[in-house]
Amino acid sequence: MAGLVALISSLIRREKGEILAAAVAALVGLACLTPLMMTTINPQPRAAPIHDITTDMVNPLSFEVLDDSRAGARNSLAYGGPEVAAVQAEAYPDIAPITTALTADDAYQRALTIAQDLGWDIVASDAERRRFEATARTSVFYFADDVVLAVTPLENGSRIDLRSVSRVGKSDQGVNAARIRAFQQQFRQ
């Protein structure tokens, strides 16, 4: 702003030596303000104000082991119900169960391997029931989030459902949805 005022003043007074310096100052100031102006004109979409993402909003997976370990966590692992499901359906319409031609046992083993490759700490696994619970950490602040996965046999393959819940906060800034998407992408490769 000051560079622009100096440029206008120099132009009015016809001070040729000052015009160049004022123009450079005005351009530097404009360059510094450009990101602010761009985010004001075209703001980035905010993540949905939820912290619990599931592939099955009608019958979300429940936590069995991690529920006990969260006594000090602010968020309950009870699913938020139809209100949360409606927000998730609007914000993340692509989050859905994975269906595969793999047998349920093969799909479970693949899911377990992918979870470990993604760096999830497997807290409990039950090969007989084809389900596991894990703790995943965010990359920036290393927050712990809880994940549960279950594989259900189908007539011609199997279905994989996941649920990822943040331990802290009311909005996860899209982290849990991104985690499920990353898992789905790895599984489909």
Side-chain angles (χ1 to χ4, degrees), residues 1-25:
M1 186 71 166
L4 188 57
V5 170
L7 178 61
I8 292 169
S9 174
S10 297
L11 287 170
I12 291 171
R13 291 187 288 173
R14 298 180 196 257
E15 297 172 340
K16 293 186 182 190
E18 303 294 324
I19 292 175
L20 182 60
V24 169

Side-chain angles (χ1 to χ4, degrees), residues 5-6 12 33 40 50 60 63 86-87 91 94 98 105 115 118 131 134 141 159 180 183:
V5 170
I12 291 171
L33 287 175
T40 301
I50 55 177
F63 289 88
V87 173
D94 60 310
I98 300 169
D105 289 332
L118 290 171
R131 87 186 297 284
F141 294 109
R159 169 184 163 144
I180 290 175
F183 179 89

Side-chain angles (χ1 to χ4, degrees), residues 2-162:
L4 188 57
V5 170
L7 178 61
I8 292 169
S9 174
S10 297
L11 287 170
I12 291 171
R13 291 187 288 173
R14 298 180 196 257
E15 297 172 340
K16 293 186 182 190
E18 303 294 324
I19 292 175
L20 182 60
V24 169
L27 286 174
V28 168
L30 182 62
C32 290
L33 287 175
T34 299
L36 176 63
M37 291 187 305
M38 293 307 291
T39 57
T40 301
I41 293 169
N42 187 20
Q44 288 190 5
R46 301 193 99 185
I50 55 177
H51 68 279
D52 190 344
I53 306 297
T54 181
T55 57
D56 186 349
M57 294 176 280
V58 175
N59 189 24
L61 296 172
S62 60
F63 289 88
E64 297 172 357
V65 175
L66 287 171
D67 199 24
D68 292 336
S69 70
R70 293 172 53 100
R74 280 191 357 204
N75 292 329
S76 166
L77 284 177
Y79 188 67
E83 298 83 18
V84 171
V87 173
Q88 179 184 323
E90 167 108 10
Y92 311 113
D94 60 310
I95 301 290
I98 300 169
T99 54
T100 179
L102 293 174
T103 67
D105 289 332
D106 289 344
Y108 174 75
Q109 286 305 317
R110 179 159 171 72
L112 198 56
T113 300
I114 291 169
Q116 291 166 335
D117 290 347
L118 290 171
W120 300 357
D121 179 26
I122 306 301
V123 176
S125 62
D126 185 342
E128 188 175 306
R129 292 173 55 206
R130 297 176 202 94
R131 87 186 297 284
F132 65 81
E133 295 181 32
T135 299
R137 300 233 173 232
T138 61
S139 59
V140 177
F141 294 109
Y142 209 58
F143 291 133
D145 296 338
D146 296 324
V147 181
V148 59
L149 179 142
V151 178
T152 306
L154 298 175
E155 195 171 301
N156 295 321
S158 54
R159 169 184 163 144
I160 299 134
D161 282 294
L162 294 107

